[in-house]
Amino acid sequence: MADNNAGDGKQQDLTKFLILTIASIVIMFIVFAGVNYVVMENLITQKIASINISQEELEDEGDEDEIQKGIIVDLGDFILNLCDENQKKYLKVNVAIEVTKKDTDFQEAAPAKSGGHGGHGEAAPAADPMEEIQKEMNQYKPAIRDAVITNLSSKTSAELATAAGKELSKEQITNDINSILGGEREVLRVSFGQFIIQ
């Protein structure tokens, strides 16, 4: 009889334990689902709000896009040794920069008259504004190329293999070139054309 009561007591304890465990799991699941719902709802609301703000900013800043378009200056190809210790690695890259325009870059020059035979005046050919800008940038090209070489050759292949590494290099090159230009123009973007690490 005592064994029967002991067995019933163990059975009741086991049943209570199972009920408590199942109840705890159900309560934890409900709490987890509720917290997850609230967090996801907030994230979705924030994303929608940021998208709406971004769209409004884009509509408001439509005119600024024209200001941010610059003049592309191709710096050419670079073949560089990278800073890897264990193994020699090389980088072949084509670099171009986009610099700001000046107000005077594309002003039309007044046509000049030259004295010709019989008193007929002909307009002198206007100077090509892009040619003038290229001449201006050519004076800075050796220093700019040196800044690009110094920056990229100080990197390892592992650093340049990542998108973040490339972006960091572009940012550093932008800062270096802006200090070379001394406020005459400002670099808007640095672009890598061909980018091969061997």
Side-chain angles (χ1 to χ4, degrees), residues 33 44 50 53 63 65 67 69 75 78 84 90 112 120 129 133 147:
I44 291 171
S50 68
I53 290 170
D63 296 336
D65 286 343
I67 296 171
K69 290 181 183 175
L75 300 177
F78 294 81
D84 290 85
Y90 301 95
H120 298 296
I133 294 165

Side-chain angles (χ1 to χ4, degrees), residues 139-183:
Q139 69 180 335
Y140 295 111
K141 241 183 191 177
I144 291 172
R145 285 184 60 88
D146 181 60
V148 171
I149 291 168
T150 303
N151 181 282
L152 292 175
S153 63
S154 70
K155 307 288 185 201
T156 65
S157 58
E159 290 173 321
L160 292 174
T162 65
K166 289 181 183 88
E167 287 305 313
L168 177 63
S169 289
K170 288 178 182 181
E171 187 177 312
Q172 291 169 340
I173 290 169
T174 298
N175 293 336
D176 292 344
I177 295 173
N178 280 336
S179 67
I180 290 168
L181 296 177

Side-chain angles (χ1 to χ4, degrees), residues 92-131:
K92 182 176 182 184
V93 62
N94 179 278
V95 181
I97 58 174
E98 186 173 355
V99 295
T100 55
K101 297 176 185 175
K102 292 181 182 176
D103 293 337
T104 59
D105 282 342
F106 296 100
Q107 290 180 351
E108 292 187 28
K113 302 273 184 178
S114 64
H117 295 288
H120 298 296
E122 295 179 10
D128 180 16
M130 287 305 293
E131 220 174 272

